[in-house]
Amino acid sequence: MPPITVTQDLVLAVAELSQLNIDGADIDDYAVDMTKVLALVEQMHGVDTSGIAPMSNPTDASQQLRADEVTETDQRERFQAIAPETDGGFYLVPRVVE
Amino acid sequence: MQDWEIVIGLEIHTQLKTKSKIFSGASTDFGAAPNTQACAIDLGFPGVLPTVNTRVYEKAVAFGLAIGATINLTSVFDRKNYFYPDSPKGYQITQLETPIVVGGSVDIILKDGSVKTIQVTRAHLEEDAGKSMHEDYHGKTGIDLNRAGTPLLEIVSEPDMRSAEEAVAYARYIHQLVTYLGVSDGDMSQGSLRCDANVSIRPMGTEAMGTRTETKNVNSFRFLERAINHEVERQIAVLESGGRIRQETRLYDSDKDETRPMRSKETATDYRYFPEPDLLPIHITQDYIETVRQQMPELPEAKIQRFVRDYDLNEADAEVLASTVALADYFETVARVGGDAKLAANWVRVELLGQMNRDSLTPSAESLSAISLSANALGMLLARIKDGTISGKIAKTVFAALWHGEATDPDTYIATQGLTQVSNSNELIPIVDSVIENNPQQAAQYREGKTKLIGFFVGQVMRQTAGKANPQQVSDLVQQRLLD
Amino acid sequence: MSELHDKTISQLLLDLDNKAFSSVELTGHYLDRIERLDPAINSYITVLREPALARAAAMDVARQKGIHPPLAGIPIAHKDIICTQGVRTSAGSRMLDNFIAPYNATLVEQLNDAGVVTLGKTNMDEFAMGSSNENSYYGPVRNPWRADRVPGGSSGGSAASLAAGLCAATTGTDTGGSIRQPAAFCGITGLKPTYGRVSRWGVIAYASSLDQAGPMARTAEDAAHLLQAMAGFDHRDSTSINQPVPDYLAQINGSIKGLKIGICTEYFDEGLDDDIRTAVMAAAKTLESMGAILSEVSLPNTQHAIPAYYVIAPAECSSNLARYDGVRFGYRCADPESIEDLYKRSRSEGFGREVKSRIMVGTFALSAGYYEAYYRKAQQIRRLISADFSQVFDQVDYILGPTTPSTAFKLGEKVDDQVAMYLQDIYTIAVNLAGLPAISIPAGQSQGLPIGLQLIGRHLDEGGLLKVAHNFQQASDWHAQRPNDGQ
């Protein structure tokens, strides 16, 4: 894959996926920074990795399974004490249109 | 007019019947106060980590075995990243590249009696999302995360269905199967089974797939049929007016009975799947699979065949009686206690199901355990018909009393109400004689060869004994006394 | 006799047993020093004066009764990415400035069970992303050795507080060098355990497959004290290792005679500071004089570690940090107009520049069309790097090299050069990719600033690493050097 030059459009597209507001002069700033970081990263493109299995975790153990038991109790009051906005036990957000 | 071929694939999300959630120890009970069953893991709090509920694997493997699928000995959880208020972590833990169940198929029976095989692509484990409440919060949306983390098995079919009827038959089959297996409680009113329908159309006789739409979250078979038919009609209308189908996610609105695009998912979504680093690959052994296989209940087809073979039932009766595990178990108890499988089949199918239908009950495990009439009691009742204690007619009276909870033990009820069949000839002969005496004209006609009048005399005797006489015995006695 | 605040845990335990002073006195001494000295260093985000004194008093009572846990009354501090129940746990971010953790991390529970007193929560780079502690919402931390220098990062507050005598030991987390690099810059001992040796439950995630918490202490022996309590299987962390915890304190006293130590040629490249090269080679000679057998080894894929890391860590971070959305906890923007406005403004205002930058890079690396060339490629390289280590560990028991290419650099020196900052991690990062344990210990000074020596061990050989480090510390006094605090 050829080196990536991060364009304004790419910054905006990635910002949308990341749910971040990036605007004005910041767009170019991010474009320059991302291009530099990706140039560093792209050094790996020269490495021959054919036939190498990706390694997503350093542990080669198998996932242990948990017994199907209810171990949690209602802690809504504690959890919602630090919530930005709640009502009647619900977390509130601006109206969502489906 | 162009002929269109309809192409349908279904993604069925079935909630697994577990006590606790797939990745946390919070309860999965339905209907709790909002956010009282959402623990720190379900809420996606900082620093929390998921663990995996062993039961979800048993259930997924059982389902896979039931449809003849390949069970992956190694399966991996992935993250599907998207922002939505009912998805608290900003990602859903699911299985993309290596799901637990791959392939398999099911045979569905269509209305014309033909059988069609539907291929299953895969079935994977994932977590359910929370719920958004759009009313009553002063123009805001309320988020309840009790459902977040409820285990789901998503069953994905190949695009093998060619009509709404086929899609519904397939969905019903899957519903029956997961309920049978105890994989899910199958309660659709509580969202235990929800369908996403991928629908496209293409000119009849062509191979290339048309652009498909996905209609999400259809939670009844009736709505599924309607949603698909509406979507097909809409797509035909668009294409025949020279338009193009947009690949999009649509929502079925049951109030308006229409599908419409989902506004929130308009922008093309890039889910950025990657292996969930908080969980390790899950390795299972062939021994584990065999253990699950041995613990699996009998499946619908096997049960039907056994009923036909062992109880000498016809296929149609067997199918009805095996429609749910609970009904099949009920029937088998009645047959065992009553000592006559055919009689039991008849009573369960006609009397019990008829009564339940009149009371708007389905033969589910819940309703069959809730009704007053136990399988044991019904079996005892049938035993009393068999041994001649009561007539079939009287049995219906006792059935009604048991159904309405006026009695629980048929023998006690028969005794206290004096319903025991009169079978003593010494008691019956005077009644038979008086009937003959009081109807000389009919007696004469009978003697002249009008033997059909036997029924009239038996009826008269039965009336006088309030139904307690044994009709066969009465018939014999009437003949004997008339010809004397 | 050294000052009270310079004593090791081993010394403090003896003194507490001998009633030379109480834990309340010791805790009070640290708290007073924090009050007096920390405004200039900024190593603490939260100081828990009253709870710490109350806890110390309880531990004094327990000690008087004669039955007490092993570290009863020892005052430590936790990196502020580690959840402490009822106490703000900010991760150095505005996003969590108002987050009062509703639970303890497992390692906090374990250390509490061992009897420690928690003095407070230490400063750090936001969400552990940084190598200088300049990315904190609570301001930069100064290196106690020289105020114009950074303490390293991301566990910079932990390292600085320890070097300044503001606690007896601390916890840190290490995703790409975040325990070892600040330990090197501040002249202390920092151990990054094997991935999965210490539970991640309650440790706020940066990059889940790389994050590992560990002890930061004055000596290898002190690190063993802490690790003894922190290590162990946790059923709440699916990636934690289900293996028994050895007796580290017993292990450190073994001899290093006959142990094979490989000097990694790739770690002595042209980017390495000459004073560090000299100091590390001298340290190797010291170990040789104690019976270790030195040889040269090669980790050929070393140069690819930083590229792979700066894909994998941001990718995981972009997903791990998606939960900060202003809905259930943490920062929420004022008057959101829509759900999207709520998400975007809360996240844009709540996160700092470096965090946003890594979220962006990580999101890119996972996105359609780039996943294979970036994320998948990086995970393949990760396997190559891991295989390099496996091969070398067939030949030697430990790998030796410098912890950092330079000593502590100046504040502001690299803030405008992200890539130069990333290259700080060149010797530490491969260890995280492979999940191995590694330790940084003081091994010299250059112009009055500490130099760190790194030792890398086999999977689960923390005990051996601590033994080599302890042996070295018996034969050297770099670990006993203290910055002059002018007090």
PDB file of all heavy atoms in Angstrom, chain A residues 57 62-63 66 68 71-72 76 85 89-91 93 95-96, chain B residues 19-21 25 34-35 51-52 54 134 137 140-141 143 280:
ATOM      1  N   ASN A  57      -3.371 -11.032  21.053  1.00  0.00           N
ATOM      2  CA  ASN A  57      -3.175 -10.993  22.501  1.00  0.00           C
ATOM      3  C   ASN A  57      -1.914 -11.755  22.863  1.00  0.00           C
ATOM      4  O   ASN A  57      -1.659 -12.812  22.307  1.00  0.00           O
ATOM      5  CB  ASN A  57      -4.391 -11.587  23.218  1.00  0.00           C
ATOM      6  CG  ASN A  57      -4.478 -11.132  24.649  1.00  0.00           C
ATOM      7  OD1 ASN A  57      -3.661 -11.541  25.483  1.00  0.00           O
ATOM      8  ND2 ASN A  57      -5.422 -10.279  24.955  1.00  0.00           N
ATOM      9  N   SER A  62      -6.618 -20.082  26.819  1.00  0.00           N
ATOM     10  CA  SER A  62      -7.977 -20.160  26.314  1.00  0.00           C
ATOM     11  C   SER A  62      -8.901 -19.404  27.261  1.00  0.00           C
ATOM     12  O   SER A  62      -8.672 -19.367  28.463  1.00  0.00           O
ATOM     13  CB  SER A  62      -8.382 -21.627  26.239  1.00  0.00           C
ATOM     14  OG  SER A  62      -9.707 -21.744  25.782  1.00  0.00           O
ATOM     15  N   GLN A  63      -9.924 -18.801  26.713  1.00  0.00           N
ATOM     16  CA  GLN A  63     -10.894 -18.074  27.522  1.00  0.00           C
ATOM     17  C   GLN A  63     -11.556 -19.006  28.539  1.00  0.00           C
ATOM     18  O   GLN A  63     -12.039 -20.080  28.183  1.00  0.00           O
ATOM     19  CB  GLN A  63     -11.961 -17.468  26.607  1.00  0.00           C
ATOM     20  CG  GLN A  63     -13.101 -16.769  27.324  1.00  0.00           C
ATOM     21  CD  GLN A  63     -12.649 -15.498  28.016  1.00  0.00           C
ATOM     22  OE1 GLN A  63     -11.779 -14.779  27.524  1.00  0.00           O
ATOM     23  NE2 GLN A  63     -13.218 -15.213  29.170  1.00  0.00           N
ATOM     24  N   ARG A  66     -17.493 -18.538  32.720  1.00  0.00           N
ATOM     25  CA  ARG A  66     -18.045 -18.242  34.050  1.00  0.00           C
ATOM     26  C   ARG A  66     -19.372 -18.993  34.218  1.00  0.00           C
ATOM     27  O   ARG A  66     -20.140 -19.126  33.278  1.00  0.00           O
ATOM     28  CB  ARG A  66     -18.282 -16.732  34.108  1.00  0.00           C
ATOM     29  CG  ARG A  66     -19.283 -16.233  35.110  1.00  0.00           C
ATOM     30  CD  ARG A  66     -19.405 -14.699  35.069  1.00  0.00           C
ATOM     31  NE  ARG A  66     -19.867 -14.174  33.787  1.00  0.00           N
ATOM     32  CZ  ARG A  66     -21.129 -14.135  33.408  1.00  0.00           C
ATOM     33  NH1 ARG A  66     -22.087 -14.597  34.181  1.00  0.00           N
ATOM     34  NH2 ARG A  66     -21.466 -13.644  32.231  1.00  0.00           N
ATOM     35  N   ASP A  68     -23.200 -19.656  35.041  1.00  0.00           N
ATOM     36  CA  ASP A  68     -24.363 -18.801  34.793  1.00  0.00           C
ATOM     37  C   ASP A  68     -25.085 -18.512  36.101  1.00  0.00           C
ATOM     38  O   ASP A  68     -26.059 -19.183  36.444  1.00  0.00           O
ATOM     39  CB  ASP A  68     -25.309 -19.488  33.794  1.00  0.00           C
ATOM     40  CG  ASP A  68     -26.534 -18.637  33.501  1.00  0.00           C
ATOM     41  OD1 ASP A  68     -26.428 -17.396  33.619  1.00  0.00           O
ATOM     42  OD2 ASP A  68     -27.582 -19.212  33.158  1.00  0.00           O
ATOM     43  N   THR A  71     -24.662 -12.541  40.019  1.00  0.00           N
ATOM     44  CA  THR A  71     -23.745 -12.140  41.089  1.00  0.00           C
ATOM     45  C   THR A  71     -23.824 -10.641  41.364  1.00  0.00           C
ATOM     46  O   THR A  71     -23.200 -10.150  42.290  1.00  0.00           O
ATOM     47  CB  THR A  71     -22.294 -12.478  40.715  1.00  0.00           C
ATOM     48  OG1 THR A  71     -22.017 -11.913  39.418  1.00  0.00           O
ATOM     49  CG2 THR A  71     -22.073 -13.979  40.647  1.00  0.00           C
ATOM     50  N   GLU A  72     -24.577  -9.923  40.525  1.00  0.00           N
ATOM     51  CA  GLU A  72     -24.639  -8.465  40.675  1.00  0.00           C
ATOM     52  C   GLU A  72     -25.965  -8.051  41.309  1.00  0.00           C
ATOM     53  O   GLU A  72     -27.006  -8.640  41.018  1.00  0.00           O
ATOM     54  CB  GLU A  72     -24.509  -7.786  39.306  1.00  0.00           C
ATOM     55  CG  GLU A  72     -23.217  -8.093  38.577  1.00  0.00           C
ATOM     56  CD  GLU A  72     -22.011  -7.382  39.176  1.00  0.00           C
ATOM     57  OE1 GLU A  72     -22.202  -6.373  39.892  1.00  0.00           O
ATOM     58  OE2 GLU A  72     -20.886  -7.845  38.932  1.00  0.00           O
ATOM     59  N   ARG A  76     -28.061   1.001  41.104  1.00  0.00           N
ATOM     60  CA  ARG A  76     -28.420   2.145  40.272  1.00  0.00           C
ATOM     61  C   ARG A  76     -28.165   3.479  40.968  1.00  0.00           C
ATOM     62  O   ARG A  76     -27.629   4.401  40.368  1.00  0.00           O
ATOM     63  CB  ARG A  76     -29.900   2.045  39.871  1.00  0.00           C
ATOM     64  CG  ARG A  76     -30.328   3.146  38.928  1.00  0.00           C
ATOM     65  CD  ARG A  76     -31.745   2.946  38.470  1.00  0.00           C
ATOM     66  NE  ARG A  76     -32.706   3.389  39.470  1.00  0.00           N
ATOM     67  CZ  ARG A  76     -34.013   3.235  39.346  1.00  0.00           C
ATOM     68  NH1 ARG A  76     -34.513   2.622  38.289  1.00  0.00           N
ATOM     69  NH2 ARG A  76     -34.830   3.665  40.292  1.00  0.00           N
ATOM     70  N   GLU A  85     -27.170  13.311  33.718  1.00  0.00           N
ATOM     71  CA  GLU A  85     -28.599  13.627  33.770  1.00  0.00           C
ATOM     72  C   GLU A  85     -29.412  12.348  33.804  1.00  0.00           C
ATOM     73  O   GLU A  85     -29.276  11.486  32.930  1.00  0.00           O
ATOM     74  CB  GLU A  85     -29.003  14.467  32.536  1.00  0.00           C
ATOM     75  CG  GLU A  85     -30.380  15.081  32.679  1.00  0.00           C
ATOM     76  CD  GLU A  85     -30.795  15.903  31.458  1.00  0.00           C
ATOM     77  OE1 GLU A  85     -30.028  15.955  30.479  1.00  0.00           O
ATOM     78  OE2 GLU A  85     -31.895  16.485  31.498  1.00  0.00           O
ATOM     79  N   GLY A  89     -34.818   6.909  36.974  1.00  0.00           N
ATOM     80  CA  GLY A  89     -33.975   5.740  36.750  1.00  0.00           C
ATOM     81  C   GLY A  89     -33.409   5.652  35.347  1.00  0.00           C
ATOM     82  O   GLY A  89     -32.535   4.844  35.071  1.00  0.00           O
ATOM     83  N   PHE A  90     -33.898   6.493  34.434  1.00  0.00           N
ATOM     84  CA  PHE A  90     -33.373   6.506  33.070  1.00  0.00           C
ATOM     85  C   PHE A  90     -32.208   7.497  32.960  1.00  0.00           C
ATOM     86  O   PHE A  90     -32.209   8.535  33.619  1.00  0.00           O
ATOM     87  CB  PHE A  90     -34.455   6.951  32.074  1.00  0.00           C
ATOM     88  CG  PHE A  90     -35.553   5.947  31.862  1.00  0.00           C
ATOM     89  CD1 PHE A  90     -36.727   6.005  32.610  1.00  0.00           C
ATOM     90  CD2 PHE A  90     -35.423   4.952  30.905  1.00  0.00           C
ATOM     91  CE1 PHE A  90     -37.742   5.081  32.416  1.00  0.00           C
ATOM     92  CE2 PHE A  90     -36.440   4.021  30.701  1.00  0.00           C
ATOM     93  CZ  PHE A  90     -37.599   4.087  31.460  1.00  0.00           C
ATOM     94  N   TYR A  91     -31.250   7.177  32.106  1.00  0.00           N
ATOM     95  CA  TYR A  91     -30.261   8.167  31.692  1.00  0.00           C
ATOM     96  C   TYR A  91     -30.912   9.017  30.603  1.00  0.00           C
ATOM     97  O   TYR A  91     -31.567   8.473  29.717  1.00  0.00           O
ATOM     98  CB  TYR A  91     -29.016   7.492  31.112  1.00  0.00           C
ATOM     99  CG  TYR A  91     -28.204   6.740  32.133  1.00  0.00           C
ATOM    100  CD1 TYR A  91     -28.311   5.358  32.261  1.00  0.00           C
ATOM    101  CD2 TYR A  91     -27.318   7.414  32.984  1.00  0.00           C
ATOM    102  CE1 TYR A  91     -27.567   4.658  33.212  1.00  0.00           C
ATOM    103  CE2 TYR A  91     -26.572   6.719  33.936  1.00  0.00           C
ATOM    104  CZ  TYR A  91     -26.701   5.350  34.045  1.00  0.00           C
ATOM    105  OH  TYR A  91     -25.962   4.662  34.978  1.00  0.00           O
ATOM    106  N   VAL A  93     -30.777  11.723  27.443  1.00  0.00           N
ATOM    107  CA  VAL A  93     -29.971  12.314  26.365  1.00  0.00           C
ATOM    108  C   VAL A  93     -30.910  13.149  25.496  1.00  0.00           C
ATOM    109  O   VAL A  93     -32.136  12.981  25.576  1.00  0.00           O
ATOM    110  CB  VAL A  93     -29.287  11.220  25.507  1.00  0.00           C
ATOM    111  CG1 VAL A  93     -28.306  10.403  26.342  1.00  0.00           C
ATOM    112  CG2 VAL A  93     -30.295  10.324  24.823  1.00  0.00           C
ATOM    113  N   ARG A  95     -33.194  14.208  22.450  1.00  0.00           N
ATOM    114  CA  ARG A  95     -34.099  13.317  21.727  1.00  0.00           C
ATOM    115  C   ARG A  95     -33.394  12.600  20.569  1.00  0.00           C
ATOM    116  O   ARG A  95     -32.714  13.209  19.761  1.00  0.00           O
ATOM    117  CB  ARG A  95     -35.258  14.131  21.172  1.00  0.00           C
ATOM    118  CG  ARG A  95     -36.401  13.275  20.669  1.00  0.00           C
ATOM    119  CD  ARG A  95     -37.616  14.172  20.436  1.00  0.00           C
ATOM    120  NE  ARG A  95     -38.857  13.429  20.299  1.00  0.00           N
ATOM    121  CZ  ARG A  95     -39.410  12.667  21.227  1.00  0.00           C
ATOM    122  NH1 ARG A  95     -38.811  12.526  22.390  1.00  0.00           N
ATOM    123  NH2 ARG A  95     -40.551  12.061  21.026  1.00  0.00           N
ATOM    124  N   VAL A  96     -33.588  11.281  20.541  1.00  0.00           N
ATOM    125  CA  VAL A  96     -33.001  10.469  19.477  1.00  0.00           C
ATOM    126  C   VAL A  96     -34.100  10.114  18.486  1.00  0.00           C
ATOM    127  O   VAL A  96     -35.161   9.653  18.886  1.00  0.00           O
ATOM    128  CB  VAL A  96     -32.393   9.172  20.049  1.00  0.00           C
ATOM    129  CG1 VAL A  96     -31.824   8.299  18.941  1.00  0.00           C
ATOM    130  CG2 VAL A  96     -31.313   9.513  21.074  1.00  0.00           C
TER     131      VAL A  96
ATOM    132  N   LYS B  19     -29.666 -17.150  33.265  1.00  0.00           N
ATOM    133  CA  LYS B  19     -29.959 -16.359  34.459  1.00  0.00           C
ATOM    134  C   LYS B  19     -29.237 -15.028  34.392  1.00  0.00           C
ATOM    135  O   LYS B  19     -29.759 -13.992  34.772  1.00  0.00           O
ATOM    136  CB  LYS B  19     -29.496 -17.107  35.711  1.00  0.00           C
ATOM    137  CG  LYS B  19     -30.307 -18.337  36.022  1.00  0.00           C
ATOM    138  CD  LYS B  19     -29.850 -18.906  37.375  1.00  0.00           C
ATOM    139  CE  LYS B  19     -30.171 -20.381  37.471  1.00  0.00           C
ATOM    140  NZ  LYS B  19     -29.047 -21.188  37.925  1.00  0.00           N
ATOM    141  N   SER B  20     -27.971 -15.094  33.969  1.00  0.00           N
ATOM    142  CA  SER B  20     -27.154 -13.884  33.972  1.00  0.00           C
ATOM    143  C   SER B  20     -26.764 -13.515  32.543  1.00  0.00           C
ATOM    144  O   SER B  20     -26.965 -14.291  31.611  1.00  0.00           O
ATOM    145  CB  SER B  20     -25.900 -14.109  34.823  1.00  0.00           C
ATOM    146  OG  SER B  20     -25.092 -15.118  34.250  1.00  0.00           O
ATOM    147  N   LYS B  21     -26.203 -12.339  32.408  1.00  0.00           N
ATOM    148  CA  LYS B  21     -25.892 -11.812  31.080  1.00  0.00           C
ATOM    149  C   LYS B  21     -24.696 -12.525  30.453  1.00  0.00           C
ATOM    150  O   LYS B  21     -23.995 -13.286  31.126  1.00  0.00           O
ATOM    151  CB  LYS B  21     -25.678 -10.305  31.183  1.00  0.00           C
ATOM    152  CG  LYS B  21     -26.996  -9.611  31.538  1.00  0.00           C
ATOM    153  CD  LYS B  21     -26.896  -8.123  31.548  1.00  0.00           C
ATOM    154  CE  LYS B  21     -28.276  -7.541  31.837  1.00  0.00           C
ATOM    155  NZ  LYS B  21     -28.222  -6.086  32.022  1.00  0.00           N
ATOM    156  N   GLY B  25     -22.458 -10.664  35.491  1.00  0.00           N
ATOM    157  CA  GLY B  25     -23.295 -11.431  36.403  1.00  0.00           C
ATOM    158  C   GLY B  25     -24.604 -10.752  36.739  1.00  0.00           C
ATOM    159  O   GLY B  25     -25.251 -11.101  37.730  1.00  0.00           O
ATOM    160  N   PRO B  34     -36.088   0.488  35.405  1.00  0.00           N
ATOM    161  CA  PRO B  34     -34.988   0.852  34.508  1.00  0.00           C
ATOM    162  C   PRO B  34     -33.625   0.916  35.213  1.00  0.00           C
ATOM    163  O   PRO B  34     -33.514   1.480  36.300  1.00  0.00           O
ATOM    164  CB  PRO B  34     -35.386   2.229  33.970  1.00  0.00           C
ATOM    165  CG  PRO B  34     -36.518   2.683  34.814  1.00  0.00           C
ATOM    166  CD  PRO B  34     -37.185   1.464  35.332  1.00  0.00           C
ATOM    167  N   ASN B  35     -32.654   0.329  34.572  1.00  0.00           N
ATOM    168  CA  ASN B  35     -31.249   0.377  34.999  1.00  0.00           C
ATOM    169  C   ASN B  35     -30.965  -0.260  36.359  1.00  0.00           C
ATOM    170  O   ASN B  35     -29.902  -0.049  36.927  1.00  0.00           O
ATOM    171  CB  ASN B  35     -30.717   1.824  34.966  1.00  0.00           C
ATOM    172  CG  ASN B  35     -30.617   2.348  33.547  1.00  0.00           C
ATOM    173  OD1 ASN B  35     -30.005   1.701  32.699  1.00  0.00           O
ATOM    174  ND2 ASN B  35     -31.247   3.478  33.274  1.00  0.00           N
ATOM    175  N   THR B  51     -16.522 -11.035  31.172  1.00  0.00           N
ATOM    176  CA  THR B  51     -16.215 -12.463  31.296  1.00  0.00           C
ATOM    177  C   THR B  51     -17.297 -13.190  30.499  1.00  0.00           C
ATOM    178  O   THR B  51     -18.303 -12.578  30.145  1.00  0.00           O
ATOM    179  CB  THR B  51     -16.255 -12.930  32.762  1.00  0.00           C
ATOM    180  OG1 THR B  51     -17.527 -12.574  33.312  1.00  0.00           O
ATOM    181  CG2 THR B  51     -15.158 -12.286  33.581  1.00  0.00           C
ATOM    182  N   VAL B  52     -17.117 -14.476  30.222  1.00  0.00           N
ATOM    183  CA  VAL B  52     -18.056 -15.155  29.332  1.00  0.00           C
ATOM    184  C   VAL B  52     -18.874 -16.206  30.084  1.00  0.00           C
ATOM    185  O   VAL B  52     -18.315 -17.061  30.762  1.00  0.00           O
ATOM    186  CB  VAL B  52     -17.326 -15.806  28.138  1.00  0.00           C
ATOM    187  CG1 VAL B  52     -18.321 -16.480  27.212  1.00  0.00           C
ATOM    188  CG2 VAL B  52     -16.519 -14.763  27.375  1.00  0.00           C
ATOM    189  N   THR B  54     -20.797 -19.433  30.618  1.00  0.00           N
ATOM    190  CA  THR B  54     -20.631 -20.768  30.032  1.00  0.00           C
ATOM    191  C   THR B  54     -21.903 -21.263  29.356  1.00  0.00           C
ATOM    192  O   THR B  54     -21.876 -21.969  28.364  1.00  0.00           O
ATOM    193  CB  THR B  54     -20.168 -21.773  31.115  1.00  0.00           C
ATOM    194  OG1 THR B  54     -19.895 -23.014  30.488  1.00  0.00           O
ATOM    195  CG2 THR B  54     -21.211 -21.965  32.206  1.00  0.00           C
ATOM    196  N   HIS B 134     -38.597   7.081  23.934  1.00  0.00           N
ATOM    197  CA  HIS B 134     -38.653   8.389  23.291  1.00  0.00           C
ATOM    198  C   HIS B 134     -39.785   9.270  23.814  1.00  0.00           C
ATOM    199  O   HIS B 134     -39.919  10.412  23.420  1.00  0.00           O
ATOM    200  CB  HIS B 134     -38.771   8.226  21.779  1.00  0.00           C
ATOM    201  CG  HIS B 134     -37.641   7.419  21.217  1.00  0.00           C
ATOM    202  ND1 HIS B 134     -36.326   7.825  21.332  1.00  0.00           N
ATOM    203  CD2 HIS B 134     -37.612   6.226  20.592  1.00  0.00           C
ATOM    204  CE1 HIS B 134     -35.554   6.910  20.772  1.00  0.00           C
ATOM    205  NE2 HIS B 134     -36.298   5.930  20.325  1.00  0.00           N
ATOM    206  N   TYR B 137     -40.120  12.213  28.410  1.00  0.00           N
ATOM    207  CA  TYR B 137     -39.003  12.831  29.109  1.00  0.00           C
ATOM    208  C   TYR B 137     -38.722  14.254  28.629  1.00  0.00           C
ATOM    209  O   TYR B 137     -37.617  14.614  28.326  1.00  0.00           O
ATOM    210  CB  TYR B 137     -37.766  11.920  29.060  1.00  0.00           C
ATOM    211  CG  TYR B 137     -38.047  10.693  29.862  1.00  0.00           C
ATOM    212  CD1 TYR B 137     -38.442   9.524  29.244  1.00  0.00           C
ATOM    213  CD2 TYR B 137     -38.024  10.747  31.250  1.00  0.00           C
ATOM    214  CE1 TYR B 137     -38.785   8.418  30.002  1.00  0.00           C
ATOM    215  CE2 TYR B 137     -38.374   9.649  32.007  1.00  0.00           C
ATOM    216  CZ  TYR B 137     -38.751   8.487  31.387  1.00  0.00           C
ATOM    217  OH  TYR B 137     -39.112   7.402  32.143  1.00  0.00           O
ATOM    218  N   LYS B 140     -36.790  14.683  25.739  1.00  0.00           N
ATOM    219  CA  LYS B 140     -35.523  13.955  25.742  1.00  0.00           C
ATOM    220  C   LYS B 140     -35.781  12.451  25.603  1.00  0.00           C
ATOM    221  O   LYS B 140     -36.907  12.000  25.723  1.00  0.00           O
ATOM    222  CB  LYS B 140     -34.763  14.238  27.032  1.00  0.00           C
ATOM    223  CG  LYS B 140     -34.390  15.710  27.133  1.00  0.00           C
ATOM    224  CD  LYS B 140     -33.510  16.012  28.302  1.00  0.00           C
ATOM    225  CE  LYS B 140     -33.090  17.475  28.221  1.00  0.00           C
ATOM    226  NZ  LYS B 140     -32.314  17.890  29.360  1.00  0.00           N
ATOM    227  N   THR B 141     -34.711  11.736  25.347  1.00  0.00           N
ATOM    228  CA  THR B 141     -34.817  10.284  25.257  1.00  0.00           C
ATOM    229  C   THR B 141     -34.254   9.673  26.530  1.00  0.00           C
ATOM    230  O   THR B 141     -33.184  10.080  26.999  1.00  0.00           O
ATOM    231  CB  THR B 141     -34.054   9.769  24.017  1.00  0.00           C
ATOM    232  OG1 THR B 141     -34.736  10.207  22.841  1.00  0.00           O
ATOM    233  CG2 THR B 141     -33.976   8.246  24.001  1.00  0.00           C
ATOM    234  N   ILE B 143     -32.757   6.399  28.546  1.00  0.00           N
ATOM    235  CA  ILE B 143     -32.010   5.180  28.221  1.00  0.00           C
ATOM    236  C   ILE B 143     -32.099   4.197  29.387  1.00  0.00           C
ATOM    237  O   ILE B 143     -31.759   4.532  30.517  1.00  0.00           O
ATOM    238  CB  ILE B 143     -30.513   5.481  27.954  1.00  0.00           C
ATOM    239  CG1 ILE B 143     -30.340   6.642  26.971  1.00  0.00           C
ATOM    240  CG2 ILE B 143     -29.790   4.222  27.479  1.00  0.00           C
ATOM    241  CD1 ILE B 143     -30.809   6.363  25.587  1.00  0.00           C
ATOM    242  N   LEU B 280     -10.176 -13.842  25.394  1.00  0.00           N
ATOM    243  CA  LEU B 280      -9.272 -14.736  24.667  1.00  0.00           C
ATOM    244  C   LEU B 280     -10.106 -15.631  23.752  1.00  0.00           C
ATOM    245  O   LEU B 280     -11.312 -15.771  23.952  1.00  0.00           O
ATOM    246  CB  LEU B 280      -8.482 -15.572  25.673  1.00  0.00           C
ATOM    247  CG  LEU B 280      -7.649 -14.756  26.667  1.00  0.00           C
ATOM    248  CD1 LEU B 280      -7.065 -15.661  27.745  1.00  0.00           C
ATOM    249  CD2 LEU B 280      -6.536 -13.996  25.947  1.00  0.00           C
TER     250      LEU B 280
END
